Amino acid sequence: MTSRKSVLVLGGSSDIGRAAARAFAKAGYDVGLAGRDVAVLEPDAADLRARYNIEVGLYRFDVLDTASFESFVGGLPALPDVVVSIVGLLGVQEKAESDLAHATMIMRSNYEGPSLILGLFAEKFLGRGNGTIVGVSSVAGDRGRASNYVYGSAKAGFSAFLSGLRARASRGGVHVVTVKPGFVRTKMTEGMKLIAPLTVEAPVVGDAILQAVESKTDVVYVSGKWRLVMLIIKTLPEAVFKKLKF
Amino acid sequence: MTLVSGWGRFPVVDSDVLRPRSFAAVGEAISAGTVARGNGRAYGDAAIGAARTVAMTGFDRVRWFDPATGRIRLEAGVLLSDLIETFGPRGFLPFVVPGTRFVSIGGAIAADVHGKNHHCEGGFGRYVESILLRTGQGEVIEASREQNSDAFFATIGGMGLTGIILEATMRLRPAKTGWIRERVISASDLDAAMRALDASDSATYSVAWIDCVARGKDLGRALIYLGEHAGKDELAAGAAAFPIGKDPGLRVPVDLPSMTLNRISIRAFNELYYRMGARRTGGSQVVSLYPYFFPLDSLKDWNRIYGKRGFLQHQCVIPEQGARAVLGDILERVARRGDASFLAVLKKLGQGDGILSFPLPGYTLALDFPLRGDILNFLDEIDRLVVAAGGRLYLAKDARQSRATFAAGYPALQRFNAIRKSLDPAGTIRSKLSQRLFDEV
Ligand SMILES: Cc1cc2nc3c(=O)[nH]c(=O)nc-3n(C[C@H](O)[C@H](O)[C@H](O)COP(=O)(O)OP(=O)(O)OC[C@H]3O[C@@H](n4cnc5c(N)ncnc54)[C@H](O)[C@@H]3O)c2cc1C
């Protein structure tokens, strides 16, 4: 055991997960990486150890396997100081419109799983009296759009869960951060047409997450421009909004 | 297909850009006419595949690091900036850095980049122990001085044409601080500049900025920057042993109209720069490694200064024997035109390590020219002087030299081609540069 602080990253093999792990490791945290396939996480664990001379643990975690959550949390060698959930699935909207299994998977991956696991950590943190919970949600959850409302609605649910959890947990010394990254150039968005001035690279999101944890920020729009964009989108009257194409 | 260009923004060509996520996917990405791309800091067409370009910056993991010896194993997409920031505070720096820190390990090996210490410490490749290479034939081989040594020496300086470098093991330099003790010498003309460089052979770092618009008795006037790694006891009280490299704060937001850099503005800038530098001569000062090694990095996207049409860099090396006369001739012609920019650099090089490495013992002169007017003809003229003097041009900066100029400058080309052929009989690995300069058509 070290006296360093520790962070657990759920969804550690994603681009944002890797970036967040690096940001925390650089700041001196020990890191836990959790993902479906531990072997995939090995090279990143080696990278963090070599760069920052910290301890890195690897854990198997599947966000769809909610039945395993209790034993996953119970099986950790120690409760981390910070837990970050980057887990999510963009899916394919057109497919989700008619394929119930696909829609279900998007909903469960973005809302059910992340909310349940972070809720569980919140209980443990409240029992201990401290801890930070970070949920990576999405600007897509700020208003359902024709082009991705299955994903967006799940993220909306997740954002609402985090907001409620924050209100409750803050009284018990536990801080909850909601991160809304906007467009990020990652595996998930590869091949998509992203609007350049509104797009950031994964390391920018990683640094923003660390920054939000250290400064106890509640809701982070990674690029400040998004706060404005979403404010406009949120306030458009439904009559106008439904005619817009996006 | 995507429009791709190098740092000089000329030429702009179509290539299929792929961003694989695993080494297996790199293998699958290689098809006829493929080359690797690092961080795109080569000026011309070296990092553009004839048909397909494989972007490597996603591979940015450190495999292992030995803090006792400074040996390190890395994926090829790790940037030198990342390496400096991560391992500098732990007491290690790269042995060799070019004039920008935003280059990848793969790109630094493929161009066998030289720094301000080439005259005494050699190039980037000298500190590489082994590489993991995906050849055009589909093999993945480990190559070092002992094992697959032909592939090793052809890959160092081989401009990506032996295959795709996946990983490398190299040595880092122990460094107590991230500060450089700098001394500035002013030289009133070319003779004085060359003498000052010769007299500084034992300095770890040396480079001269040349005023390439000065003419007549001022021809070749220069400021010579010498540097040594500073110890902890030389730092100002309270200074951190390792300075922070700020992200480029200023950025050039738009392509400037190409009029911005004209004879008058360049002349005015150079005059001011020379006078300010001349005032700093005499004693020495301790400066952060960032402005010392990477003066241009503080201005993001500075290539846009040259406008949409882009620019050309001309970097030649002239063997020591008879260099004075040729350099004088080149500078005379450049000064007469008056449109070479303020980024003119003269430095001494030593022997290169790779078969196709650019450096040879002599003087290298690097000049930037906006792409306009008869510049292509003018540079052909300069090339004739370079070839006649037994010199050559740097492939990482080239976008326009002729096959004849290239062949004359690189006599080891035959040997390189033979090794390339053995690694890739079907000729899968090809860049726009190799098509332009040496592939059979
Ligand atoms: C401001 C500035 C200053 C510079 N100063 C210097 C200097 O002082 N000294 C010097 O030597 N150079 C200098 N350069 C040139 C630069 O160092 C080289 O062009 C370097 O190769 C760029 O690295 P990159 O990662 O951007 O590679 P790219 O430009 O993307 O590629 C360069 C070459 O490397 C190959 N390559 C890249 N990655 C791989 C890989 N994984 N496997 C196989 N081949 C690969 C490409 O095919 C290509 O041939 C400077 C460039 C700039 C913009």
Side-chain angles (χ1 to χ4, degrees), chain A residues 41-104:
Chain A
L41 299 170
E42 293 282 3
D44 290 310
D47 174 70
L48 295 174
R49 290 186 195 112
R51 283 170 179 265
Y52 305 112
N53 197 23
I54 53 156
E55 287 181 24
V56 185
L58 296 182
Y59 309 99
R60 217 196 85 78
F61 172 76
D62 181 347
V63 79
L64 294 174
D65 186 8
T66 52
S68 71
F69 286 5
E70 300 262 4
S71 64
F72 168 75
V73 177
L76 292 172
L79 203 55
D81 295 291
V82 181
V83 61
V84 183
S85 171
I86 324 260
V87 183
L89 173 72
L90 187 57
V92 181
Q93 168 70 24
E94 294 83 53
K95 189 170 174 211
E97 285 160 11
S98 53
D99 180 340
L100 295 192
H102 189 61
T104 306

Side-chain angles (χ1 to χ4, degrees), chain B residues 215-340:
Chain B
R215 299 175 60 179
K217 68 169 179 34
D218 291 338
L219 185 78
R221 71 175 176 173
L223 296 167
I224 291 103
Y225 295 88
L226 306 180
E228 300 295 336
H229 287 275
K232 284 206 170 104
D233 52 328
E234 296 174 63
L235 306 187
F242 208 83
I244 296 181
K246 293 194 195 66
D247 269 351
L250 287 169
R251 114 181 261 166
V252 179
V254 290
D255 300 321
L256 296 181
S258 56
M259 274 303 292
T260 317
L261 280 181
N262 57 33
R263 271 157 233 254
I264 298 164
S265 64
I266 294 168
R267 193 172 297 280
F269 174 88
N270 281 12
E271 187 65 37
L272 189 70
Y273 190 83
Y274 182 76
R275 290 203 190 163
M276 293 203 350
R279 270 193 287 168
R280 278 165 63 204
T281 57
S284 63
Q285 49 268 328
V286 174
V287 298
S288 157
L289 71 87
Y290 291 101
Y292 184 78
F293 289 124
F294 317 117
L296 288 167
D297 282 354
S298 55
L299 190 60
K300 196 175 181 203
D301 301 337
W302 63 260
N303 50 350
R304 304 181 82 163
I305 290 177
Y306 290 91
K308 255 208 171 59
R309 294 187 57 195
F311 66 111
L312 297 167
Q313 179 158 110
H314 189 272
Q315 180 166 11
C316 63
V317 57
I318 311 283
E320 200 140 5
Q321 272 297 321
R324 166 64 185 85
V326 187
L327 289 171
D329 195 353
I330 295 176
L331 280 174
E332 181 66 50
R333 291 169 196 245
V334 169
R336 222 179 298 144
R337 275 179 68 90
D339 72 341

Side-chain angles (χ1 to χ4, degrees), chain B residues 7 35-43 46-47 56 76 98-100 103-104 106-107 110-111 113-114 159-160 163-165 296 302 394 396-397:
Chain B
W7 184 247
V35 88
R37 183 178 181 89
N39 209 28
R41 253 50 177 190
Y43 280 66
M56 294 296 290
T100 170
V103 305
S104 70
V113 302
H114 55 270
M159 301 310 291
I164 299 189
I165 304 164
L296 288 167
W302 63 260
Y394 190 13
K397 306 283 181 76

Side-chain angles (χ1 to χ4, degrees), chain B residues 92-207:
Chain B
F92 289 95
L93 290 172
F95 266 98
V96 171
V97 293
T100 170
R101 65 195 199 270
F102 302 116
V103 305
S104 70
I105 298 295
I109 295 173
D112 189 17
V113 302
H114 55 270
K116 296 174 168 56
N117 54 339
H118 197 276
H119 60 285
C120 58
E121 295 185 318
F124 197 87
R126 191 167 294 181
Y127 304 93
V128 175
E129 291 183 358
S130 66
I131 50 181
L132 187 67
L133 183 73
R134 174 67 162 73
T135 70
Q137 203 174 14
E139 284 179 310
V140 177
I141 59 170
E142 185 79 16
S144 67
R145 284 172 182 75
E146 295 79 35
Q147 184 187 356
N148 295 313
S149 64
D150 272 356
F152 181 78
F153 287 109
T155 300
I156 290 174
M159 301 310 291
L161 298 172
T162 56
I164 299 189
I165 304 164
L166 302 173
E167 292 184 9
T169 302
M170 49 188 249
R171 278 191 293 138
L172 298 179
R173 168 203 304 277
K176 298 214 161 48
T177 77
W179 300 82
I180 301 292
R181 185 179 352 106
E182 177 195 59
R183 199 154 67 83
V184 186
I185 301 171
S186 77
S188 56
D189 60 19
L190 182 61
D191 284 311
M194 293 177 73
R195 251 184 285 124
L197 281 176
D198 290 343
S200 311
D201 267 345
S202 62
T204 308
Y205 301 104
S206 73
V207 67

Side-chain angles (χ1 to χ4, degrees), chain A residues 15 18 22 26 43-44 46-47 50-53 186-187 190, chain B residues 19 21 58 60-65 78 82 85-87 90:
Chain A
D15 289 330
R18 290 181 58 203
R22 265 201 198 165
K26 189 173 179 187
D44 290 310
D47 174 70
R51 283 170 179 265
Y52 305 112
N53 197 23
T186 63
K187 254 183 295 214
E190 195 159 288
Chain B
R19 210 166 266 289
R21 294 277 171 173
D60 65 350
R61 295 182 190 87
V62 178
R63 290 266 182 252
W64 50 255
F65 169 66
V78 173
D82 182 8
E85 259 171 54
T86 305
F87 294 98
R90 297 181 69 181

Side-chain angles (χ1 to χ4, degrees), chain A residues 136-161:
Chain A
V136 175
S137 187
S138 171
V139 295
D142 284 4
R143 190 162 193 179
R145 296 191 292 134
S147 59
N148 72 347
Y149 61 84
V150 178
Y151 173 79
S153 65
K155 286 295 194 186
F158 186 42
S159 291
F161 183 92

